Amino acid sequence: MTYLTLEAAAAALAAGETTSRALTEEALERFETAHTALNLATLIEREAALAAADASDARRAAGTIIGPLDGIPYTLKDIFATEGVVTTAASNILKPWTPPYSATTVKRLDASGAVRLGKVNTDEFTMGSSTETSAFGVTRNPWDHDRVAGGSSGGSAAAAAVGAGYFSIGTDTGGSIRQPAAYCNVTGIKPTYGRVSRWGEIAMASSLDQTGPLARTARDCALVLQVIAGHDAHEATSLPDAVPTYLPGQATLAGLRVGVPQEYFGEGLHPEVRARVDAAIELFRSQGAVISEVTLPSTPYALAVYYIIAPAEVSSNMARYDGIRYGASIERDEPGGAHDLFETYAKTRGAYIGEEVQRRIMLGTHVLSSGYHDAYYKKALAVQQAVKQEFVQAFQDVDVLLTPTTAGLPFGVGEKANDPLAMYLEDVLTVAVNVAGLPGMSVPCGFVDGLPVGMQLIGPHLGEAKLLEVAAAYQARTEHHLSFPNI
Ligand code: GLN
């Protein structure tokens, strides 16, 4: 059963070959076993999951099944509010917080009949590329336990890779779905900004954050995106556009126009990673796709733009964790521990918020401060427009862009943890997509010494259906995504 895709699991349920109870028990067992080996959970909801599975089986018996996700087990990145269930953002400051409401994404999944197995690990408030900044400790890579699973959706990627559920829900602000998907050999899509509601998703950088699925295949991602995408009246940046059908038919690659941006193949790209991505490009060519070289000259600036805009928004979003309104507080935990309001803020944040998040707050406060606002923040917004325009231009001539997802292979635990700049460079190939608000995917495209490699597909505004179609056509012709790690 480990080797079933979501689509196959749904078909087995529909055919009466298995039950949600059986799928859920197996997935819980893998979740628990993998958690022991990899540290991927922040919460395992065994009882609630089994009850949800039984409810799904009862619907099936009564002929009132809701849709393809009904009875399918999954995991949720611990960054979404869940009514009555503790939600931590992998931060000590939220460890005592139980939300009184559920995020829109959670409500939509609940309404689909999907069975939540529990919550999975992330970098603290999703700030990071390795899941090492989590207050729960690092999540290890299922292909090599001495390496990171990537981040910030490292728990999601590792869970999807080991079959702890048939999909996971992650978030991507600068690459946090795509980079861990690449490092764990799963398929992940970051939709267009605004396609999936952010309501109830704990904010990192509000103008960049986007929710999306990680799963075995592009077709599985399509089934999940179908449920979570769509307008939400609660959320001002949620797109009003109608949601198309995402599950692709049998697509041909003949005539597909694939752009290869040269800036993504520059210095620092691991030669073996490059070789796997080149092989994927050759496969597209052999299937009749038209490959052309594209240039996106502002690419080298996207990372700098991101590390100004994202921290600026972080510094604003983190202001609510002040020891008074939410979560842990020095005042409450150590009566007399703070003597005035300022000490309550400072001591609470010092005690319960990790170093990386503090660094982002300081960076963000700096670039927004008077005197630096024009020099940094305003300039970053101007360059952001240039990055966007270049993509718009490129998509006049091509249907999708194809690049590596990451420049290297999954790195060692601890290798970059004390070097913030090296860690920020992890996002160099993924951030431009967020800066431009576009959809992007990571698709498994091979292995180097037993470690997975991902290629990135980038689409135009609201081009999710096209990306999923292209990725599904590629996966119909390759088997990289069907390799599983041994736990
Ligand atoms: N790694 C990037 C960062 O640290 C992106 C994180 C994310 O996408 N949530 O900001």
Side-chain angles (χ1 to χ4, degrees), residues 171-247:
T171 61
D172 188 315
T173 303
S176 280
I177 288 174
R178 290 159 287 156
Q179 184 253 29
Y183 282 179
C184 293
N185 204 50
V186 299
T187 307
I189 181 164
K190 179 212 100 72
T192 304
Y193 178 73
R195 181 69 297 185
V196 179
S197 169
R198 290 182 295 108
W199 197 77
E201 174 204 337
I202 296 172
M204 176 185 158
S206 311
S207 78
L208 304 165
D209 295 344
Q210 184 56 205
T211 298
L214 298 92
R216 293 249 74 90
T217 67
R219 294 179 63 84
D220 291 356
C221 286
L223 289 169
V224 179
L225 187 59
Q226 200 72 51
V227 164
I228 62 175
H231 184 247
D232 177 7
H234 284 123
E235 207 252 276
T237 60
S238 158
L239 293 172
D241 308 65
V243 176
T245 298
Y246 289 126
L247 192 66

Side-chain angles (χ1 to χ4, degrees), residues 126-129 152 172-176 204 306-307 360 427:
T126 81
M127 297 173 208
S129 301
S152 62
D172 188 315
T173 303
S176 280
M204 176 185 158
Y306 174 84
Y307 275 100
R360 305 282 179 117
D427 308 319

Side-chain angles (χ1 to χ4, degrees), residues 430-457:
T430 49
V431 283
V433 164
N434 303 75
V435 165
L438 298 176
M441 263 188 103
S442 184
V443 181
C445 70
F447 287 83
V448 176
D449 298 334
L451 297 171
V453 176
M455 67 167 166
Q456 178 173 234
L457 296 171

Side-chain angles (χ1 to χ4, degrees), residues 43-76:
L43 180 71
I44 298 180
E45 299 173 84
R46 179 173 259 283
E47 293 314 312
L50 291 172
D54 289 344
S56 172
D57 287 332
R59 280 193 295 278
R60 205 166 290 279
T64 55
I65 215 69
I66 300 163
L69 296 195
D70 203 337
I72 299 289
Y74 78 100
T75 60
L76 181 72

Side-chain angles (χ1 to χ4, degrees), residues 8 32 124 140 148 189 226 233 248 254 260 280 331 334 347 397 410:
E32 286 160 352
E124 184 176 9
R140 288 167 184 276
V148 300
I189 181 164
Q226 200 72 51
V260 179
E331 271 280 88
E334 293 175 42
K347 288 192 171 174
D397 303 320

